[in-house]
């Protein structure tokens, strides 16, 4: 089992009724408290650091649910999954983003050929997938960080203006020559699919799992501000540019997660479609100042360095979330926490415990 197999395992314990359990897609820290998102829920879980029970490096548990419907007026219903794929903590907020993409029903082995043909032709959009929001973090009476609809200092939970069909981002992309044609294609078919989020002040980077265009992956850069009860897009320059596009050479892989570490941007990358293939971490050195100084509406970046390949299985153990370990938990040595979607038997213990990894980085 992972807690005896390796000394760099991180044990995550969930309750039987936790919103998030195994399909982990986002991670962020507030001190030594861990926030996690899953792509099959409409909410987040907060885990407390606990003493290890085996040889694992770190253990988190006592999960507490934070349903998004308690924090926001959602574009869809409270029962619809948000397909949360990106998460970041910045300036007292927890930022989250949904995939924004369509989904296609899959064939099932117990169905007839005719039924499966109908399923494979059916597209759907869960309204909560088109969610980009910031959620205030505030300590409760016990000093534990919580997500609140409105903090005592006036900060409010806000989402990008829109409804169950579209928001300001998808409307701005509708006629885009690169991404407009892919808005009607499901994410797992190399259609439009957001899976990474990094925050620098009011500027956000959205990493796309798809589409990958002739081997070029993409980051979308936007700037937002709070206006009334919504987030709105701000022009990035005097020309009124609402979205800057950064095309990255990731060897044909799509973005699975983003994370700023100091001035550098780390990019977790994997197959854009349903494939068992390479999952790697790339480093964009000095990305933060470069992005702040850039005024080009579209740019290409090939000078990335590959940091480390990550393990993966067949239909399992897909790395989906990466974030820096806080210094208090890392003994002063830079380390990532990496969490996995569809954990295999080697990353599970019982019904409600799963294991991630700690990885060193420069």
């Amino acid at each position: 089992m992972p807690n005896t197999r390796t000394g760099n395992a991180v044990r995550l314990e969930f309750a039987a009724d936790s919103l998030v359990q195994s399909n982990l897609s986002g991670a962020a820290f507030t001190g030594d408290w861990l926030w996690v998102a899953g792509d099959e829920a409409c909410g987040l879980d907060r885990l407390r650091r606990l003493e290890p029970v085996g040889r694992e490096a770190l253990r988190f548990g006592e999960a507490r649910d934070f349903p998004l419907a308690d924090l926001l007026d959602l574009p869809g219903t409270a029962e619809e999954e948000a397909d949360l794929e990106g998460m970041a903590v910045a300036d007292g907020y927890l930022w989250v983003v949904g995939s924004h993409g369509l989904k296609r029903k899959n064939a099932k082995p117990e169905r007839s050929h005719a039924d499966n043909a109908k399923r494979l032709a059916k597209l759907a959009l869960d309204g909560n997938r088109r969610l980009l929001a910031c959620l205030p973090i505030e300590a409760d009476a016990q000093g534990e960080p919580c997500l609140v609809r409105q903090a005592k200092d006036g900060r409010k939970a806000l989402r990008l203006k829109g409804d169950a069909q579209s928001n300001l981002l998808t409307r701005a992309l509708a006629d885009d020559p690169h991404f407009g044609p892919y808005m009607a294609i499901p994410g797992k078919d190399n259609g439009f699919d957001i899976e990474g989020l990094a925050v620098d002040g009011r500027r956000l980077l959205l990493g796309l799992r798809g589409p990958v265009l002739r081997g070029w992956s993409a980051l979308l850069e936007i700037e937002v501000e709070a206006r009334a009860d919504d987030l709105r897009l701000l022009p990035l320059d005097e020309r009124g540019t609402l979205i800057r596009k950064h095309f990255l050479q990731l060897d044909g892989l799509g973005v699975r997660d983003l994370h700023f570490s100091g001035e550098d941007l780390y990019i977790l990358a994997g197959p854009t479609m349903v494939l068992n293939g390479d999952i790697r971490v790339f480093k964009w050195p000095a990305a933060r100042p470069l992005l702040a100084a850039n005024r080009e509406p579209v740019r290409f970046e090939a000078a990335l360095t590959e940091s480390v390949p990550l393990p993966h299985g067949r239909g399992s153990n897909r790395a989906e979330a990466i974030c820096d370990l806080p210094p208090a938990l890392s003994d002063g040595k830079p380390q990532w926490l990496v969490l996995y979607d569809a954990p295999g038997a080697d990353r599970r213990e019982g019904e409600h415990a799963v294991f991630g990894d700690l990885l060193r980085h420069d």
Side-chain angles (χ1 to χ4, degrees), residues 142-290:
Q142 288 73 45
E144 300 178 358
C146 296
L147 301 178
V148 296
R149 186 177 278 259
Q150 181 160 349
K152 294 182 178 65
D153 61 9
R155 290 173 298 130
K156 294 192 294 185
L158 301 169
R159 65 176 174 88
L160 191 65
K161 184 176 176 60
D163 55 32
Q165 296 302 312
S166 65
N167 62 19
L168 295 179
L169 176 65
T170 60
R171 292 169 201 164
L173 288 168
D175 296 322
D176 183 85
H178 297 110
F179 303 113
Y182 290 87
M183 300 301 291
I185 300 174
K188 289 183 172 60
D189 296 348
N190 198 37
F192 188 80
D193 190 2
I194 297 173
E195 286 216 3
L197 172 66
V199 179
D200 186 10
R202 297 194 305 186
R203 289 188 302 118
L204 311 181
L205 292 178
L206 306 174
L208 303 187
R209 175 175 174 174
V212 173
L213 305 178
R214 286 302 297 264
W216 290 93
S217 307
L219 305 182
L220 304 181
E221 179 186 351
I222 61 174
E223 188 167 338
V224 298
E225 72 168 359
R227 194 179 303 169
D229 293 324
D230 299 295
L231 293 175
R232 306 292 180 96
L233 295 181
L234 282 180
L236 291 160
D237 54 36
E238 63 281 354
R239 293 171 291 186
T241 303
L242 291 178
I243 301 173
R244 286 196 186 115
K245 295 176 282 189
H246 304 273
F247 288 100
L248 310 180
Q249 187 50 250
L250 304 179
D251 294 341
L253 301 176
V255 176
R256 294 297 185 92
D257 203 3
L258 299 173
H259 185 73
F260 274 122
S261 182
E263 302 289 81
D264 305 325
L265 181 69
Y266 287 91
I267 302 152
L268 179 64
T272 183
M273 301 179 76
V274 185
L275 297 170
N276 298 306
D278 284 353
I279 298 177
R280 295 184 246 164
V281 179
F282 291 82
K283 177 182 177 180
W284 185 353
R288 194 191 293 266
L290 188 153

Side-chain angles (χ1 to χ4, degrees), residues 261 264 266 283 305-307 324 334-336 359-362:
S261 182
D264 305 325
Y266 287 91
K283 177 182 177 180
T305 59
E306 184 180 338
S307 297
D324 263 336
Q335 294 183 83
W336 292 308
L359 295 177
R360 290 279 187 91
H361 70 87
D362 55 6

